[in-house]
Amino acid sequence: TKWMASQLKFEESLFKEIYNINLKYLVKEDSIHLTNTVFTSKKELYLQYSQMRNEDLKKVLSPDLYEKYQIIEESKRLISPGN
């Protein structure tokens, strides 16, 4: 969340909302590690949680900030294609 705040420069009032969204999905993703689910299913769950997180972020970020966030996320994927 701190990284997002420094990159997106959003208002301090959004910090707690974004923190709660990030925490919600971090807990969900951590729970995947504890399951005996096959790798393919885990990957699908990560993708699903990522999409759900993005939908939640889209609700609280302005359209401009959300677009900036998407551009940053895409550039990270291009740098680390294995993620």
Side-chain angles (χ1 to χ4, degrees):
T1 304
K2 288 181 182 179
W3 173 87
M4 288 178 75
S6 71
Q7 294 294 309
L8 300 178
K9 313 239 185 295
F10 52 75
E11 295 180 23
E12 195 172 318
S13 60
L14 282 178
F15 189 88
K16 189 170 184 175
E17 278 187 90
I18 292 174
Y19 174 85
N20 287 334
I21 290 170
N22 287 336
L23 181 60
K24 174 181 166 181
Y25 291 102
L26 179 64
V27 168
K28 286 181 182 225
E29 289 173 357
D30 280 350
S31 70
I32 295 172
H33 296 297
L34 303 174
T35 65
N36 281 336
T37 310
V38 294
F39 176 76
T40 307
S41 296
K42 287 183 179 185
K43 193 171 181 178
E44 290 170 4
L45 284 172
Y46 280 120
L47 180 59
Q48 179 183 3
Y49 291 155
S50 177
Q51 291 169 343
M52 291 166 56
R53 177 176 170 258
N54 286 340
E55 286 301 314
D56 284 352
L57 289 171
K58 194 174 194 176
K59 293 174 188 172
V60 298
L61 294 173
S62 69
D64 289 342
L65 283 179
Y66 184 75
E67 182 179 353
K68 185 176 180 181
Y69 164 73
Q70 288 294 293
I71 290 168
I72 292 168
E73 286 296 302
E74 183 60 29
S75 69
K76 285 174 26 183
R77 278 191 287 277
L78 292 174
I79 293 169
S80 315
N83 292 338

